[in-house]
Structures are given as structure tokens and as C-alpha cells.
Amino acid sequence: MAEPSSRRERARADTLREIKQTARRVLVDRGVDGLALRAVAREMGMTAPALYRYFDSREELVESVVVDLYGELCDQLEAVRDDVEPATPGLQLMEVARAFRTWATTHHAEFGLLFGSAGERVLPDDFRDDCARPAQEAAARFGGVFAALVARVYLEQGFPVPADDELDPALQEQLTTWCAKLPVPLPLGVMSVFLSCWIRLYGMVCMEVFGHLRFALDDAGPMFEAELHSLAEILGVADAYRPPSS
Amino acid sequence: MAEPSSRRERARADTLREIKQTARRVLVDRGVDGLALRAVAREMGMTAPALYRYFDSREELVESVVVDLYGELCDQLEAVRDDVEPATPGLQLMEVARAFRTWATTHHAEFGLLFGSAGERVLPDDFRDDCARPAQEAAARFGGVFAALVARVYLEQGFPVPADDELDPALQEQLTTWCAKLPVPLPLGVMSVFLSCWIRLYGMVCMEVFGHLRFALDDAGPMFEAELHSLAEILGVADAYRPPSS
DNA sequence: GACTGGAAGTGAACGGTGTTAGCTAACGGC
DNA sequence: GCCGTTAGCTAACACCGTTCACTTCCAGTC
């Protein structure tokens, strides 16, 4: 963006980067609520009030970490997607879903921050207007990776979707306004199927990471694969399902 | 249990009840991380250290609140279940699922505590052995309400399930050890279908409450109903699906 | 080159937190 | 009536987020 930065501006940018990087490290090895301003400052040889030159509050620092994490996660998923051979959307979807689970299970604290109830301090007044805040934007990009793949599966080979008038009118309306934001026009039914799939994937990973499946399973891997297979069938790409590569 | 309690024991039990009750009130109107020992103590005219006569740590108090909440939620769901007329498991399942969503959306803080990432302080060493801690037990009862209904649907009228040998061997094994704990022997496939349904229900409610559906829907109600309908079809009780009563 | 304005960083402080230690006062069983 | 147990208190420690006043140092200007 603004490349012709002065010495001072470069130093500031560096510090900002270091803060976020340190915050991530603290998050990882001290947990979500060990992510304290003072801890971050201490870790990098500063004092806590100094951080207020860079963030208005702890909340804001955390949010910026969230944004960064979404970014990294998306980069990683897109890289996985682009490495799949052959590059059919069905295969890509399977691998991206697996990569998401792998990231979630190997980044417990980060996953909790992005997808759990933590960091969901809902001040309703601030929230209604603030729907376009950066974290929501980053989350939208993330959802878009999956949505785009499902859309491509539909466009390239199709799968059964409910007709518009089979959907509840209220749902029709909401899906319509959502579809209007998409670059490519799609039947409402495609979005309802996508949402349903996304809910299953999210639910599965969330339950595993938060330990809500331990009452039944001690290793959620096989169940995840079963769900994945089932999703492949729903999307008409069952033939693209292959046992996990590793 | 132990009814012949002395005066002192009764007083103690009363205080304990009051603490948990107050903690719940604080949780509701101050949020998950406003649930502070000192706040609870203040609210009931005590000092924080006094609470240590009743709980070893804040963690333990929170866990006991979690257990209570699971208890209340289960009571409520069971009451809903037993009020359904006619008392067919299909209809009951639909209404219990709706009641669960209603509870979740009207008890944001409590839901976050029970089903989110909060309160998931995972000290792996403590955890492995401690799988039978009370919170896990309470969660199991909760899952049991749904599992029992699905089992009854299967036993009374059946629904399509995968054969044992269609399941991944690792999954077979885990489901086998789980099934062994059930009072009634059931095919493994039933449990895999139950888990899949439970994941969808959990995922749907979780995403709604934590705001992860706002990127697409501003009212998750219709989508919830669509999912519910889909679950009814999977369980062969689509004829039991009725539009929401209210 | 001296001057000046602004930015970065500091230490002290306020009010909050969980938790521990030591004290007091009341209660229950002998 | 004594005496151990118990519930509650105060004081203290170490941590937290946040604010304020202060220094220090750098960039740009006369």
C-alpha cells in the first residue's frame, strides 16, 4: 500500500508486527486467557502501557490476532486447495476440509479464539452497526473458501438441491439477500445445501476440539472421515472421496 | 441421600446452594468472564476467601455451576419430551431439539459455558484420568436424552443405517466399546447415525449462538427448521415433522 | 546547528482479579 | 464447661487492564 514510509513508520510497523507475533506465541503456550497484555509486553521486554501506543485496548490486540490467524488459516487452506492433483473441486473440497480439521486439532488455542465462545463479548449496541468489523470480514473470507468450492462443484457437475419454493419463505428471503452478494448467481438451494454441509463440518470439528465427542469417541478421526464421505455423497462427488493421504 | 443431617450440615448445604444460585445470576448478567469469585461473594454479602470453605478454586465453583446447568437443561428437555402428545419418539425428538435451541438462544452465557470453548482449560495430565469428572457425567446424561430418543425411533420403526462392515474398522471399534455401555444392544450403524445427527444439531445451534452464521443469515430460525426437517427424514420420521408450534 | 513538536517508552497508581495465611468467634459433642 | 472444628473475617501477594504524568529521543524547520 503506502510503501514510501519514513524510518519512523518502518520502526512502528516492525514493532506492531512483533507485538502480534509475540501475542500469538503467548496465546499458544499460555492459552486464551493467559493472553494478557502484560505478558505480551514482558515477553518482548516492554511495559504494558507502551502497547497502548499500538492498540486501544487488549480487546483490539486480540481482534488483530484473530484477523491474522484467519489470514494464515486461509492462506494455508488455499495452498492445500491449489496443490490438489487433479484440481477438481470435489477433491479440493475433501482436502481443504481435512486441512481445516488438522489445523483445528493442532492449534487448539487458536481455534478456540476463532471459533469458540471466547472473544465473543457481545455488546449488542456496538455489534449491530459494527457487522463489518475486520474480524467478521476475515471470517467471511474463510467461509468463502468453502463456499467457492461448493459453488464450483455445483457449476461443473451439479448435485441435487431443493427447488426455491420447497424452502421456507423466510429462508428463501434470507438466502436471496445473501446470494445477491455473490459474484455468480446461484440457485437458493445451492446455498442451503452449502450451509448444511458447513454446519456439519463446523459441528464435527468444533465438537472434537472442545472435547464434546469424548463421551462417545476417544479418536474422532474415523468419524470425521465418515462425515466427510457423507458430505461427498450429498455433493455428488463420492467418487472423489479417497482415504486420507497420510 | 444423607437426610439425617445436623443443623450445621443443613446450614452448610443452604449456603452452598445460595453460592451456586448467586453464581448463576452473576453469570447471566455479567457474562462468562464476569463470573468472578469476588463478584459472587460481594453479591451475597460475603468475602471471597469465605468461598474457599466451599470450593477449592474458582474453577471448581464454575464446574459445579456447569453441572447444575446441565441438570436443569436436562430436566427441562425431559419435561418437554414427556408433554408431547402423542408420545411418539419422532415427535418427541423434534420438540426436544427445538427446546434445546430455544434454551440455547435464550441462555447465551450459560450455553457458552456448557458448549463453547470457555471452561475448557485442558491440563492434559489431569484430564486423561479425570474423564469421569462430574461435568463429563452431566454432559453424558444430556447426550443420553437425545440418544435414547433416537434409539427408540430405531427400535419402534427403524431407519436406514449402514451395516457394521460398511463402517471404517477403527470407527467400528470405538462404537463397539461405546455401545457396550448402553442398556440396550443396538447395531453400530444406529450410533453412527445418531452421532451424525447430534453433530448437525450441535453445529447448527452452536453456530447460531456464537454468531458464526451471521455472515449468511440474520435469523437462524428457518435454517434450523430446515435442518430439523432433514434430520427427521434421515430418521424416517418426516411425517412427524410439524411446523413449530409457537 | 539550535529549537521544537510529536511519538515511544517509562514508572506509579487505581481498581479489579484468584488465592493463601492467620486470626476470631461461634457452634456441637463430650 | 471445655475444646476441637468450622465459617467467616482481614491482610497480603501476585497478577491483570488501564490511565496519567513524565522523560527521552528523533525528524523536520528556522
Side-chain angles (χ1 to χ4, degrees):
Chain A
M1 312 289 183
E3 195 49 37
S5 53
S6 73
R7 222 180 94 84
R8 217 153 169 167
E9 279 169 332
R10 263 180 292 123
R12 184 180 173 83
D14 279 352
T15 312
L16 215 152
R17 225 189 327 274
E18 192 189 343
I19 293 173
K20 294 199 285 187
Q21 188 179 312
T22 310
R24 244 200 88 169
R25 197 170 61 243
V26 172
L27 165 68
V28 168
D29 50 45
R30 299 258 230 281
V32 178
D33 44 24
L35 179 43
L37 267 186
R38 289 183 127 110
V40 174
R42 202 184 310 126
E43 194 90 3
M44 54 191 286
M46 287 177 64
T47 57
L51 297 184
Y52 281 80
R53 301 282 172 191
Y54 300 88
F55 298 96
D56 283 346
S57 65
R58 183 198 114 111
E59 186 78 6
E60 206 179 278
L61 197 174
V62 171
E63 179 163 326
S64 113
V65 171
V66 166
V67 171
D68 281 10
L69 285 172
Y70 267 122
E72 282 181 39
L73 174 55
C74 289
D75 290 346
Q76 204 163 317
L77 295 186
E78 285 168 1
V80 166
R81 176 195 64 191
D82 296 337
D83 275 358
V84 172
E85 200 65 52
T88 63
L91 270 174
Q92 289 175 321
L93 195 55
M94 296 295 106
E95 288 309 317
V96 169
R98 282 198 185 103
F100 174 50
R101 170 174 177 258
T102 301
W103 185 87
T105 51
T106 55
H107 297 74
H108 194 119
E110 295 98 315
F111 182 83
L113 195 55
L114 266 58
F115 298 98
S117 58
E120 295 289 326
R121 311 290 152 254
V122 193
L123 304 191
D125 299 340
D126 293 12
F127 224 64
R128 291 271 175 262
D129 301 339
D130 227 349
C131 237
R133 63 202 277 203
Q136 297 285 333
E137 206 172 308
R141 178 187 163 202
F142 171 71
V145 176
F146 287 93
L149 282 174
V150 171
R152 277 186 50 211
V153 170
Y154 181 79
L155 291 174
E156 292 187 17
Q157 54 183 89
F159 49 78
V161 304
D164 287 8
D165 56 7
E166 287 180 76
L167 299 172
D168 180 289
L171 186 55
Q172 278 181 48
E173 192 190 322
Q174 294 186 72
L175 291 178
T176 305
T177 67
W178 185 34
C179 278
K181 297 182 205 162
L182 300 180
V184 181
L186 283 172
L188 303 184
V190 175
M191 302 323 284
S192 88
V193 170
F194 161 69
L195 273 184
S196 183
C197 290
W198 175 232
I199 287 167
R200 270 174 89 168
L201 183 60
Y202 169 88
M204 177 73 213
V205 173
C206 220
M207 288 187 82
E208 175 181 5
V209 174
F210 294 159
H212 295 312
L213 277 176
R214 268 199 285 269
F215 74 100
L217 308 171
D218 47 87
D219 170 21
M223 186 68 203
F224 176 82
E225 287 297 325
E227 283 288 288
L228 204 54
H229 197 144
S230 169
L231 292 183
E233 282 168 356
I234 289 172
L235 299 176
V237 292
D239 56 328
Y241 178 84
R242 301 173 185 170
S245 51
S246 70
Chain B
M1 310 289 185
E3 196 47 39
S5 53
S6 73
R7 223 180 95 83
R8 217 161 176 163
E9 279 169 332
R10 262 179 293 122
R12 185 179 173 82
D14 279 352
T15 313
L16 215 152
R17 224 188 328 274
E18 191 189 344
I19 293 173
K20 294 199 285 188
Q21 186 180 313
T22 311
R24 243 200 89 169
R25 197 170 60 241
V26 173
L27 165 67
V28 169
D29 50 45
R30 299 261 229 280
V32 178
D33 44 22
L35 179 43
L37 267 186
R38 288 183 127 110
V40 174
R42 203 183 311 126
E43 194 90 5
M44 54 190 287
M46 286 178 66
T47 58
L51 297 184
Y52 281 79
R53 301 284 174 193
Y54 300 88
F55 297 95
D56 282 348
S57 65
R58 182 197 114 111
E59 187 77 7
E60 206 179 278
L61 197 173
V62 171
E63 179 164 325
S64 112
V65 170
V66 166
V67 171
D68 281 11
L69 285 171
Y70 267 122
E72 283 181 40
L73 174 55
C74 288
D75 290 347
Q76 203 163 318
L77 295 186
E78 285 168 359
V80 166
R81 176 195 66 193
D82 297 336
D83 275 359
V84 173
E85 199 67 51
T88 63
L91 270 174
Q92 288 174 322
L93 196 55
M94 295 296 106
E95 288 310 316
V96 169
R98 283 198 185 105
F100 175 50
R101 170 174 177 258
T102 301
W103 185 87
T105 50
T106 54
H107 297 74
H108 195 118
E110 296 97 316
F111 182 83
L113 196 55
L114 266 55
F115 298 97
S117 58
E120 296 288 326
R121 309 290 152 256
V122 194
L123 303 191
D125 299 339
D126 294 11
F127 225 63
R128 291 271 175 262
D129 301 339
D130 226 351
C131 237
R133 64 201 276 204
Q136 296 285 331
E137 205 171 309
R141 178 188 164 203
F142 171 71
V145 176
F146 288 93
L149 282 174
V150 170
R152 277 186 50 210
V153 170
Y154 180 78
L155 291 174
E156 292 187 17
Q157 55 183 90
F159 50 77
V161 304
D164 287 8
D165 57 6
E166 286 180 77
L167 299 173
D168 181 289
L171 186 54
Q172 277 181 47
E173 192 189 321
Q174 294 186 72
L175 292 178
T176 304
T177 66
W178 185 34
C179 277
K181 297 181 204 162
L182 300 180
V184 182
L186 283 171
L188 303 184
V190 176
M191 301 324 283
S192 88
V193 170
F194 161 69
L195 274 184
S196 183
C197 291
W198 175 231
I199 286 166
R200 270 174 89 169
L201 183 59
Y202 169 88
M204 177 72 214
V205 173
C206 221
M207 289 188 81
E208 175 182 4
V209 173
F210 294 160
H212 294 312
L213 276 176
R214 268 198 284 268
F215 74 100
L217 309 171
D218 48 85
D219 170 21
M223 186 67 202
F224 176 82
E225 287 298 325
E227 284 287 288
L228 203 55
H229 198 145
S230 169
L231 292 183
E233 282 168 356
I234 289 172
L235 299 177
V237 293
D239 56 328
Y241 178 84
R242 301 172 185 170
S245 51
S246 71

